[in-house]
């Protein structure tokens, strides 16, 4: 299991859920990882777990909405591990489910700062370093809700839809630098972030809306991220890898 041997990755939203699963999978496949999260406790736990398993990982506690975070993450990848080959922009900020008429402008802008602007900032600073190293792979974590909508999530659907188009545009602009850009779109995944929207675990699991009759697991999404980061997806750019259990099939 060394599909990412010799690669260095930056992963945001790394402290829990899908981000943590991606970090663990990347490290298990041989990558060195700079893990970024705004919450120090979960990030420290992740770093301890990966290091204890023999992986190479460095934690960075920071807000991805700040440009300084993108600069620091890329610089850390270079200084600590010698370069940068993979970027996974996964951080997300949730709001309570509600129609847009109830949202403040400040909340709307904050969600876009984390859910969309961060991908711009990270990519802006990662691409020159990737180019100097011969190329790389950028993965923007979108959602099945880039394609379909659910009640009370206008800010989420808008940002995730924008990520899909952003990846396509970046793929066009940076193909001649040997930099591939794709989105990874999970369906409903059984993580703490998803479960908090429901009163009980049973209610959350019953809400899946998938053809497979269940919520997905974070490790199932991490497998897709490994594929997009690895040379196995070398002929794939400007695409959206949808792993949604059939949520959008009907």
């Amino acid at each position: 299991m060394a599909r990412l041997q010799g690669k260095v990755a930056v992963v945001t939203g790394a402290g829990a859920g899908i981000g943590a699963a991606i970090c663990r999978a990347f490290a298990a496949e041989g990558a060195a990882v700079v893990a970024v999260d705004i919450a120090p406790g979960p990030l420290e736990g992740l770093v301890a777990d990966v290091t204890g398993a023999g992986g190479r990982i460095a934690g960075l506690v920071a807000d991805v909405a700040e440009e300084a975070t993108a600069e620091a993450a890329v610089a850390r990848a270079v200084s600590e591990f010698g370069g940068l080959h993979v970027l996974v922009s996964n951080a997300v900020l949730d709001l309570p489910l509600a129609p847009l008429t109830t949202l403040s402008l400040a909340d709307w802008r904050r969600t876009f700062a984390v859910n969309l602007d961060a991908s711009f900032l990270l990519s802006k600073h990662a691409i020159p370093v990737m180019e100097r190293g011969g190329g790389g792979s950028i993965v923007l974590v979108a959602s099945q809700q880039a394609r379909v909508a659910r009640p009370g999530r206008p800010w989420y659907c808008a940002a995730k839809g924008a990520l899909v188009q952003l990846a396509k545009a970046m793929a066009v602009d940076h193909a001649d630098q040997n930099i591939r850009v794709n989105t990874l779109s999970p369906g409903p995944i059984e993580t703490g972030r998803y479960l908090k929207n429901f009163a009980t675990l049973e209610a959350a699991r019953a809400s899946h809306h998938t053809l497979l009759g269940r919520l997905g697991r974070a490790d199932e999404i991490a497998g897709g991220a490994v594929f997009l980061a690895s040379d196995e997806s070398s002929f794939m750019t400007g695409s959206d890898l949808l792993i949604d259990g059939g949520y959008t099939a009907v």
Side-chain angles (χ1 to χ4, degrees), residues 14-214:
I18 290 170
I22 290 173
C23 289
R24 291 189 174 95
F26 277 17
E29 293 287 352
V33 181
V34 176
V36 184
D37 201 280
I38 199 169
L43 189 60
E44 290 168 5
L46 171 72
V47 170
D49 288 347
V50 171
T51 302
R56 295 184 297 157
I57 188 169
L60 175 63
V61 178
D63 181 354
V64 295
E66 302 294 333
E67 186 166 11
T69 298
E71 295 172 314
V74 172
R76 187 82 174 272
V78 173
S79 65
E80 197 145 338
F81 300 121
L84 179 60
H85 311 95
V86 180
L87 166 64
V88 180
S89 181
N90 168 71
V92 64
L93 176 69
D94 275 332
L95 294 176
L97 302 182
L100 65 81
T101 49
T102 69
L103 300 180
S104 70
L105 179 58
D107 281 347
W108 176 269
R109 286 178 171 169
R110 175 61 181 166
T111 62
F112 272 79
V114 173
N115 301 340
L116 178 61
D117 296 354
S119 290
F120 153 66
L121 293 170
L122 289 156
S123 299
K124 173 184 175 181
H125 290 283
I127 286 170
V129 176
M130 287 183 173
E131 182 181 18
R132 289 197 292 271
S137 173
I138 295 175
V139 181
L140 309 181
V141 178
S143 169
Q144 93 280 16
Q145 290 185 24
R147 306 181 184 214
V148 296
R150 293 293 296 166
R153 297 177 71 78
W155 46 274
Y156 188 81
C157 295
K160 294 303 186 179
L163 286 176
V164 171
Q165 285 300 107
L166 175 62
K168 291 179 180 180
M170 288 170 56
V172 171
D173 286 342
H174 301 290
D176 61 358
Q177 297 162 277
N178 195 32
I179 294 172
R180 299 183 296 109
V181 189
N182 295 286
T183 45
L184 173 60
S185 286
I189 306 301
E190 189 169 320
T191 63
R193 187 175 71 84
Y194 185 87
L195 297 179
K196 73 180 182 181
N197 292 309
F198 301 89
T200 66
L201 177 61
E202 291 73 20
R205 288 176 171 170
S207 74
H208 57 80
H209 299 289
T210 72
L211 298 184
L212 299 182
R214 64 173 176 87

Side-chain angles (χ1 to χ4, degrees), residues 5-6 106:
Q5 193 67 44

